Amino acid sequence: MSLFAPKGEWLSEPGLRLFWQPHFLTQTLADQYLQTLQQLAWQQGEITLYGKTYQEPRLSIYCGDEGAHYSYSQKNMQPRPWHPLLLSLKDLLSQQFNAPFNAVLCNYYRNGQDGMGWHSDDEPELGPSPTIASLSFGATRRFVLRSKHDHTQKRSFHLNHGSLLLMAGDTQQHWQHAVPKTQTAITSRINLTFRTINPR
């Protein structure tokens, strides 16, 4: 039995291009990876919105190639060296999707009260049409997209243990995404978002 099952489904419509594979990793491999990822040196960062500084409602780590500096919400991130597991996953996804990933933003959602508000990954260093590959481990969380031009137009996915969702094309130009908080009692989730950071 293969450890990887990259035969997923491309979903395309005007301004939106996604690749969805709910079982990209087998249960056994996803379990092993989750145990390793939980031991990383997670930190709670701060972001500034509308002149106010807040603690992020999740923990995070940013790893990447030397010089892959990334900024969002007035937060400047310097990459840590690659952890061997993250590097192996980066190489796998880069080869599978012919994408030169050179960084990964890792998020640790401790419970249902951790989340991610509406946003687009449209920072200048990502370029106009970035490819972003999102691997999920642990508890299943709802991932929602909405059109920037019509907020009633939404798409929703349940990102389960070992799943892969990739955003490509003009998605970031036309759509926002979020991981809503929930009152449901759920365990932790780790999400790895691989991306390509262009030189400034």
Side-chain angles (χ1 to χ4, degrees):
M1 179 183 296
S2 174
L3 295 176
F4 304 100
K7 293 184 179 179
E9 179 184 10
W10 280 102
L11 308 171
S12 297
E13 57 185 85
L16 182 67
R17 181 163 171 77
L18 307 171
F19 177 87
W20 170 234
Q21 170 53 279
H23 302 291
F24 183 74
L25 302 176
T26 64
Q27 177 81 33
T28 298
L29 194 60
D31 288 346
Q32 294 174 358
Y33 284 5
L34 178 59
Q35 289 184 358
T36 300
L37 293 169
Q38 288 173 329
Q39 304 306 312
L40 298 182
W42 297 95
Q43 295 182 334
Q44 186 168 21
E46 294 183 340
I47 57 173
T48 301
L49 297 174
Y50 306 110
K52 294 185 178 181
T53 300
Y54 306 88
Q55 284 193 323
E56 291 182 306
R58 60 194 173 278
L59 307 181
S60 63
I61 297 174
Y62 179 63
C63 297
D65 294 353
E66 185 176 357
H69 307 302
Y70 183 50
S71 302
Y72 68 91
S73 299
Q74 300 183 39
K75 178 181 179 180
N76 297 314
M77 306 183 70
Q78 308 297 323
R80 297 186 186 185
W82 285 100
H83 182 280
L85 174 55
L86 298 175
L87 184 61
S88 67
L89 287 171
K90 185 267 292 185
D91 291 342
L92 169 70
L93 293 168
S94 292
Q95 181 178 15
Q96 178 66 37
F97 294 100
N98 192 29
F101 296 125
N102 61 3
V104 59
L105 179 60
C106 313
N107 290 303
Y108 194 132
Y109 299 86
R110 295 160 292 184
N111 50 50
Q113 290 305 295
D114 280 358
M116 180 87 73
W118 288 111
H119 70 287
S120 296
D121 294 326
D122 55 2
E123 292 77 20
E125 57 265 43
L126 296 177
S129 302
T131 297
I132 299 173
S134 173
L135 277 173
S136 295
F137 301 87
T140 298
R141 292 293 296 266
R142 191 164 67 97
F143 180 88
V144 187
L145 299 108
R146 71 180 183 186
S147 169
K148 291 182 180 181
H149 316 293
D150 180 1
H151 287 180
T152 67
Q153 295 295 315
K154 294 184 177 181
R155 307 289 181 269
S156 181
F157 296 84
H158 285 86
L159 303 185
N160 55 277
H161 188 46
S163 68
L164 170 67
L165 179 67
L166 182 142
M167 298 180 285
D170 295 335
T171 300
Q172 304 305 321
Q173 296 181 33
H174 301 286
W175 291 74
Q176 295 176 312
H177 53 275
V179 179
K181 296 181 180 181
T182 175
Q183 295 296 325
T184 303
I186 58 174
T187 55
S188 61
R189 167 185 180 251
I190 290 176
N191 174 240
L192 311 178
T193 55
F194 294 88
R195 55 196 68 206
T196 302
I197 306 299
N198 299 305
R200 295 182 181 179

